[in-house]
Amino acid sequence: MNALGRHILVEFYDCSPELMNDVVHIENSMVAAAETAGATVINSTFHHFSPYGVSGVVVIQESHLAIHTWPEYGYAAVDLFTCGDSVDPWVSYSYLKEAFESGHGSSMELRRGQLSLLKRNDFNLDALRDVAPKSIEADGTITRDVWFTERDENIALSLKHSGNQLYKKDSPYQRVEIFETLAYGNMLTLDGMVMCTQKDEYVYHEMITHVPMFSHTKAKRALVIGGGDGGTVRELLRHEQLEEVTLVEIDELVIEACKLHLPETAVAFGNPRLNLLVEDGIKYINDCEDGRYDLIIIDSADPVGPGEGLFTAEFYKEVYRCLTPDGLMITQSESPRFNTGVFVEIYETYKQIFGENKVHCYLAGIPTYPTGTWSFSYSSKGDAHPLQFDKDAAAKFSQEQGLKYYNEEIHTAAFALPNFVKELLANGSKKDI
Ligand code: SAM
């Protein structure tokens, strides 16, 4: 070769938008395209951006293959760069055109490092030897960095995962996925938003259940709307006094995915005291009789897609109607810092329905939720107050049940709010926080 390397700039058009957004498929295809061309793969790093798009590079002994996709255009820009003549980059080109179901591609090959233009420097190669690149793992496995990223305009959370997609199905309501993250275990996402992970789900599920259960000790009937991962009913069913727990989840695929890949969270789905319904929670509450439940927990995702209707005054008024005279409504009420507007709006709505002094906010630290600080609302139809509870009973329960987050001190501390949150609850988000 009269050049050090061959660089093919590739434009793949009319690709399937699905595939252009599938980080696992793209990473596997890029690694396979390199290996099929005879390259020795060293490492691969791929990033899946939300809402869509993938970027990644496969480092090979013979240089690299790189890609960035625009699913919205069915388009991928690919760089195939090889040095030496043991690898034919055009083999990778053909492999990827097929793998991405590209309608047509255009490409241009550049010879990089024209030898006629280069002058070899005499230098002692040995001197460089001690910074030699890390050899491929003895067992030939390549190091793969495949990242899942949840982001909005200004904030992002990235979690490295194994690259093996454990579960991925589209339901009529949303995309249901399970990723095998390296730091937080298996993770459930809906439409690219983190719902729960094996390593921190207990924070959310213990706080959304035990706080109300210890401040409403006569509760016999509980209703959970949403919560298809099973964590909330798992915690509720630890309380023997509950005679009946009803879970109304709109999407059976969420239940299926969690039974398969989040077994610790889905463990209570077979409990005889559980009434598991696959139904729209809004319809269920509209059809429900007055005063039926002592405790209603809205374990919804964010106010988008099927869950949007779970953040409306109409819906909360219906919840109020279905509560017993001293019943409690508990909701996941978003992050005061991440979705400030929604946070302020829903608290104003709760106060209009339950009364100014009957609504309380409490916080918990959930590492895989945006900003890591999440909130829960506690609205009482009767006189129950979140801080009037039997601390000894709560301490004993936390001990006996081996809880990992909830205890009598956290119960109290969670209601101690920072000034900026008090400000938001008192005056709405007029002031910049
Ligand atoms: N902890 C999570 C969070 O804070 O984002 C929520 C977990 S849970 C998985 C949310 C569940 O609510 C989802 O399984 C979703 O399918 C369900 N859901 C959304 N809208 C619903 C509706 N209208 N009726 C019943 N379930 C609904």
Side-chain angles (χ1 to χ4, degrees):
M1 276 219 321
N2 58 9
L4 296 175
R6 305 169 70 183
H7 192 170
I8 305 180
L9 302 179
V10 180
E11 311 275 274
F12 283 131
Y13 301 104
D14 304 337
C15 303
S16 113
E18 281 295 311
L19 292 180
M20 286 302 98
N21 197 38
D22 184 336
V23 65
V24 174
H25 175 76
I26 291 171
E27 194 249 356
N28 290 338
S29 305
M30 293 285 283
V31 169
E35 288 169 343
T36 311
T40 306
V41 175
I42 304 243
N43 163 293
S44 74
T45 296
F46 281 73
H47 225 94
H48 176 232
F49 300 100
S50 77
Y52 43 70
V54 170
S55 242
V57 62
V58 177
V59 178
I60 54 179
Q61 200 127 318
E62 304 78 4
S63 188
H64 68 270
L65 287 66
I67 186 169
H68 189 77
T69 71
W70 285 261
E72 68 275 33
Y73 296 110
Y75 167 69
V78 174
D79 283 7
L80 306 172
F81 193 131
T82 60
C83 54
D85 46 23
S86 61
V87 174
D88 177 358
W90 288 106
V91 172
S92 303
Y93 172 87
S94 316
Y95 185 97
L96 291 172
K97 188 165 184 305
E98 206 174 308
F100 299 157
E101 298 173 7
S102 163
H104 73 282
S106 76
S107 54
M108 178 167 63
E109 176 167 350
L110 299 174
R111 294 298 166 130
R112 306 294 298 271
Q114 302 274 351
L115 290 172
S116 56
L117 302 172
L118 296 170
K119 191 169 98 17
R120 188 180 181 91
N121 303 326
D122 275 339
F123 67 99
N124 167 5
L125 199 57
D126 292 343
L128 280 185
R129 283 248 172 273
D130 54 8
V131 291
K134 192 158 61 47
S135 64
I136 299 167
E137 274 75 4
D139 62 1
T141 54
I142 63 171
T143 53
R144 304 167 72 180
D145 292 344
V146 189
W147 295 79
F148 164 91
T149 298
E150 177 181 349
R151 55 179 288 186
D152 77 345
E153 301 73 57
N154 311 313
I155 296 178
L157 167 83
S158 294
L159 289 163
K160 191 170 175 180
H161 62 92
S162 67
N164 309 326
Q165 180 98 52
L166 300 179
Y167 188 97
K168 179 180 183 171
K169 288 188 185 174
D170 289 335
S171 77
Y173 310 102
Q174 56 211 346
R175 160 152 304 169
V176 181
E177 294 178 277
I178 303 262
F179 292 88
E180 191 180 26
T181 75
L182 305 188
Y184 282 88
N186 294 352
M187 170 177 75
L188 168 70
T189 69
L190 298 179
D191 286 342
M193 293 176 281
V194 176
M195 291 296 120
C196 59
T197 76
Q198 283 177 315
K199 289 279 173 56
D200 69 357
E201 55 84 9
Y202 58 84
V203 180
Y204 178 98
H205 293 125
E206 290 181 14
M207 290 304 276
I208 204 169
T209 51
H210 305 314
V211 167
M213 284 305 296
F214 276 97
S215 51
H216 188 349
T217 50
K218 293 195 290 312
K220 295 271 180 278
R221 284 206 192 118
L223 168 66
V224 177
I225 293 187
D229 52 73
T232 297
V233 292
R234 176 195 66 203
E235 294 305 317
L236 280 177
L237 289 160
R238 291 179 190 275
H239 296 268
E240 294 306 328
Q241 90 212 40
L242 282 174
E243 294 161 3
E244 176 206 310
V245 175
T246 298
L247 171 65
V248 180
E249 163 60 54
I250 198 169
D251 193 337
E252 63 191 344
L253 292 190
V254 173
I255 297 170
E256 177 189 275
C258 295
K259 278 183 177 171
L260 289 170
H261 302 293
L262 289 168
E264 316 80 14
T265 312
V267 68
F269 280 141
N271 187 305
R273 283 185 291 145
L274 178 64
N275 179 18
L276 176 55
L277 305 173
V278 176
E279 192 181 327
D280 182 346
I282 298 163
K283 180 176 176 318
Y284 181 86
I285 210 83
N286 292 345
D287 302 344
C288 177
E289 68 194 70
D290 296 5
R292 177 165 173 70
Y293 290 103
D294 304 298
L295 172 61
I296 298 179
I297 296 178
I298 314 304
D299 179 0
S300 68
D302 300 327
V304 290
E308 204 163 349
L310 302 175
F311 288 77
T312 62
E314 295 68 44
F315 173 72
Y316 295 131
K317 284 182 188 146
E318 284 297 292
V319 171
Y320 185 90
R321 177 183 62 74
C322 299
L323 283 170
T324 53
D326 54 5
L328 291 177
M329 176 183 83
I330 304 293
T331 72
Q332 72 86 0
S333 52
E334 302 290 319
S335 158
R337 192 172 275 296
F338 184 67
N339 357 53
T340 311
V342 173
F343 177 81
V344 168
E345 200 185 314
I346 52 180
Y347 274 88
E348 277 159 14
T349 307
Y350 300 152
K351 290 174 189 166
Q352 280 153 22
I353 296 169
F354 285 83
E356 185 70 30
N357 306 324
K358 299 293 184 79
V359 176
H360 309 270
C361 171
Y362 60 109
L363 303 176
I366 304 177
T368 56
Y369 280 10
T371 74
T373 302
W374 213 250
S375 77
F376 303 91
S377 73
Y378 176 110
S379 303
S380 171
K381 188 173 178 177
D383 302 326
H385 187 283
L387 297 180
Q388 282 151 20
F389 68 102
D390 179 339
K391 293 184 177 43
D392 298 339
K396 185 162 170 289
F397 180 88
S398 172
Q399 216 54 38
E400 283 168 0
Q401 297 289 331
L403 301 185
K404 291 189 270 187
Y405 193 88
Y406 176 86
N407 59 44
E408 74 287 1
E409 289 146 345
I410 277 285
H411 181 139
T412 306
F415 289 86
L417 303 177
N419 292 346
F420 85 88
V421 176
K422 287 184 181 170
E423 183 86 20
L424 288 172
L425 293 170
N427 315 324
S429 60
K430 297 186 196 61
K431 224 174 104 206
D432 183 25
I433 54 169

